[in-house]
Amino acid sequence: MLVLRVATSAVLTTSVSLSLTSSSDLTPATLASESGSTSPWRTSGRHRQRLPAKNVYYYRCPDHRRNYVMSFAFCFDQEDDVYQFAYCYPYTYSRLQHYLASLERRNLPYLKREQLGLSVQQRQLDLLTITNSDHLSPEREKKLVFLTARVHPGESPASFICQGVIDFLVSQHPVAQVLRDHVIFKIVPMLNPDGVYLGNYRCSLMGFDLNRHWQDPSPWAHPTLHAVKQLIVQMNQDPTVSLEFYIDVHAHSTMLNGFMYGNVFEDEERVQRQAVFPRLLCQNAPDFSFSNTSFNRDVVKAGTGRRFLGGLLDDTSYCYTLEVSFYSYMTAGSTAPVPYTEETYMKLGRNVARTYLDYYKLNNLIRDNRLTHIQSSEVMSQTVNRNGKGNVVGRDAADREKEKSPGVRQ
């Protein structure tokens, strides 16, 4: 997470320029102040708000080898105050620990928190298991969904999505109850705790991009990744468990909306089956774009969780990277991007969780009398159909139309 902390000793107006070392995009910054005025682009107390677009400038700078530079103007009007400028809404290691502790205090019978391992600096690697084990049939194969977030520590929207998933799965919503009765959810909410704690954007304490080391993680250089990989390999070898989904949650600096990356396979039927979940999610989440979703086998992504586990797991498993914009989303029919908030990030997480029931209902993998009275999605304005090849026909036309709207960055 990129954070600029400024202590003011006088009232002044200043412009701050940040030079990037790559051609990646930046989004309008958010800011926080410990006190201050209540003007639209200033803050009061711990309140955070976006800098207004008119005060943010983004351009290629000839003085910085034509790299992108973001500049913004802000008036510091409180003496001896502290202002903080952040790339996106912060979600810290401490916040996660407080959140997980609050979940533990609820003593939910279907939630288990355990320490899967320790980071290089001895921070806890948490693993949550959410399932109603009393309702799982010992004779039937156990369906398992595995989700990870914050392997790239600066991508804080991933934590809000992950919390949305968790909040929904532990709730008393009838969809959550059915899912807990039939599916085991394993969630690692912060895969790179050292990087998050230290404020790194992409790397771990030792300077590694952990999402390029899935093929051969080191127990001393990448201990958190090593622990997660060992667990997944172990579960994959368990004949009583069917590891059906792996989703790694990220945030994207140039694309709008939520979208997914999937893998490419020679088997056309497997390719079609892999598209089912993102199409269903597109039906459930108005901010999710199937037209931005893509399936690839880029060589540079060979060490990612999606690529590595896609080759390790059998052809009944689906591995995705779930991306969400740092900035905003477009909905069908809208003419301007809508900035994401902490709540809308978490709502996307809730819709991800709900979509699992749609998937299992569609494939007749969950049969439950309660399902006839359940409408799983928060947004289910259209009907999901299946064509002759077995894939889901979603909201593609409207989705493509919203991507054509003016102002959308491709």
Side-chain angles (χ1 to χ4, degrees), residues 344-355:
T344 50
Y345 282 132
M346 287 192 278
K347 184 176 180 179
L348 177 57
R350 295 195 295 270
N351 281 326
V352 169
R354 292 166 175 268
T355 301

Side-chain angles (χ1 to χ4, degrees), residues 197-332:
Y197 185 87
L198 296 169
N200 294 348
Y201 179 71
R202 195 170 181 87
C203 64
S204 66
L205 166 73
M206 302 181 70
F208 294 106
D209 181 345
L210 296 183
N211 205 34
R212 296 296 183 272
H213 290 273
W214 274 88
Q215 291 168 317
D216 189 23
S218 161
W220 66 270
H222 328 110
T224 56
L225 184 61
H226 183 267
V228 171
K229 178 183 174 181
Q230 276 195 318
L231 176 62
I232 291 176
V233 170
Q234 175 186 337
M235 292 187 301
N236 187 50
Q237 295 172 344
D238 186 343
T240 67
V241 172
S242 173
L243 208 171
E244 305 201 329
F245 286 92
Y246 170 75
I247 295 183
D248 189 25
V249 190
H250 289 254
H252 205 282
S253 62
T254 60
M255 301 285 282
L256 297 185
N257 294 66
F259 59 96
M260 280 180 157
Y261 291 123
N263 295 313
V264 173
F265 305 103
E266 301 299 330
D267 182 359
E268 179 62 22
E269 183 185 356
R270 188 178 182 186
V271 171
Q272 296 292 341
R273 285 189 280 114
Q274 184 186 215
V276 170
F277 187 85
R279 285 185 183 274
L280 289 170
L281 181 54
C282 187
Q283 292 288 329
N284 292 346
D287 57 322
F288 184 85
S289 170
F290 184 78
S291 61
N292 284 347
T293 295
S294 64
F295 305 90
N296 61 68
R297 53 159 65 108
D298 295 346
V299 175
V300 294
K301 301 293 181 67
T304 64
R306 166 181 65 88
R307 285 289 309 280
F308 173 77
L309 293 175
L312 175 72
L313 305 178
D314 63 35
D315 61 3
T316 63
S317 302
Y318 305 104
C319 300
Y320 306 96
T321 300
L322 172 62
E323 297 271 4
V324 66
S325 172
F326 272 107
Y327 175 42
S328 61
Y329 60 93
M330 298 282 288
T331 57

Side-chain angles (χ1 to χ4, degrees), residues 279 282-283 290-291 392-401:
R279 285 185 183 274
C282 187
Q283 292 288 329
F290 184 78
S291 61
V392 179
V393 178
R395 211 178 48 175
D396 291 339
D399 201 31
R400 284 194 296 271
E401 189 61 33

Side-chain angles (χ1 to χ4, degrees), residues 346-365:
M346 287 192 278
K347 184 176 180 179
L348 177 57
R350 295 195 295 270
N351 281 326
V352 169
R354 292 166 175 268
T355 301
Y356 283 109
L357 184 59
D358 290 332
Y359 174 82
Y360 285 121
K361 286 169 58 180
L362 186 67
N363 290 278
N364 295 317
L365 297 176

Side-chain angles (χ1 to χ4, degrees), residues 13 17 24 44 54 67 69 86 94 98 105 189-190 198 207 244 246 263 277 288 308 311 321 326 363-364 367 387 391:
T13 302
S17 294
S24 63
S44 177
K54 66 180 181 180
N67 284 324
V69 169
S94 299
H98 287 304
R105 287 193 293 271
M190 196 167 281
L198 296 169
E244 305 201 329
Y246 170 75
N263 295 313
F277 187 85
F288 184 85
F308 173 77
T321 300
F326 272 107
N363 290 278
N364 295 317
R367 296 181 178 85
N387 66 16
N391 59 309

Side-chain angles (χ1 to χ4, degrees), residues 53-302:
K54 66 180 181 180
N55 288 359
V56 180
Y57 313 94
Y58 186 65
Y59 52 94
R60 285 188 183 272
C61 181
D63 296 333
H64 294 274
R65 295 181 299 177
R66 297 285 298 167
N67 284 324
Y68 283 105
V69 169
M70 186 189 76
S71 300
F72 56 90
F74 179 74
C75 180
F76 299 94
D77 61 350
Q78 297 290 324
E79 286 195 36
D80 302 319
D81 203 357
V82 174
Y83 294 81
Q84 293 179 323
F85 297 84
Y87 187 64
C88 196
Y89 308 106
Y91 196 112
T92 65
Y93 174 77
S94 299
R95 174 171 176 169
L96 175 67
Q97 295 305 307
H98 287 304
Y99 169 67
L100 297 182
S102 69
L103 286 179
E104 277 193 304
R105 287 193 293 271
R106 292 166 63 181
N107 293 317
L108 301 172
Y110 42 79
L111 171 69
K112 179 182 179 182
R113 177 190 182 189
E114 55 190 310
Q115 179 180 295
L116 184 57
L118 293 171
S119 68
V120 173
Q121 288 190 323
Q122 303 300 292
R123 291 187 181 87
Q124 184 160 313
L125 176 66
D126 288 289
L127 171 68
L128 299 183
T129 303
I130 302 173
T131 192
N132 190 346
S133 55
D134 293 339
H135 285 230
L136 295 177
S137 171
E139 293 83 19
R140 298 186 62 180
E141 197 174 45
K142 301 178 181 67
K143 303 176 183 64
L144 192 142
V145 172
F146 206 104
L147 185 144
T148 59
R150 293 301 283 279
V151 66
H152 290 151
E155 298 173 4
S156 58
S159 284
F160 293 106
I161 291 176
C162 190
Q163 181 172 327
V165 171
I166 296 168
D167 284 343
F168 182 79
L169 291 176
V170 301
S171 73
Q172 293 306 307
H173 194 286
V175 170
Q177 294 180 33
V178 171
L179 286 171
R180 291 195 301 265
D181 286 350
H182 294 85
V183 183
I184 301 171
F185 292 89
K186 297 275 187 182
I187 301 174
V188 177
M190 196 167 281
L191 190 48
N192 189 350
D194 285 348
V196 172
Y197 185 87
L198 296 169
N200 294 348
Y201 179 71
R202 195 170 181 87
C203 64
S204 66
L205 166 73
M206 302 181 70
F208 294 106
D209 181 345
L210 296 183
N211 205 34
R212 296 296 183 272
H213 290 273
W214 274 88
Q215 291 168 317
D216 189 23
S218 161
W220 66 270
H222 328 110
T224 56
L225 184 61
H226 183 267
V228 171
K229 178 183 174 181
Q230 276 195 318
L231 176 62
I232 291 176
V233 170
Q234 175 186 337
M235 292 187 301
N236 187 50
Q237 295 172 344
D238 186 343
T240 67
V241 172
S242 173
L243 208 171
E244 305 201 329
F245 286 92
Y246 170 75
I247 295 183
D248 189 25
V249 190
H250 289 254
H252 205 282
S253 62
T254 60
M255 301 285 282
L256 297 185
N257 294 66
F259 59 96
M260 280 180 157
Y261 291 123
N263 295 313
V264 173
F265 305 103
E266 301 299 330
D267 182 359
E268 179 62 22
E269 183 185 356
R270 188 178 182 186
V271 171
Q272 296 292 341
R273 285 189 280 114
Q274 184 186 215
V276 170
F277 187 85
R279 285 185 183 274
L280 289 170
L281 181 54
C282 187
Q283 292 288 329
N284 292 346
D287 57 322
F288 184 85
S289 170
F290 184 78
S291 61
N292 284 347
T293 295
S294 64
F295 305 90
N296 61 68
R297 53 159 65 108
D298 295 346
V299 175
V300 294
K301 301 293 181 67

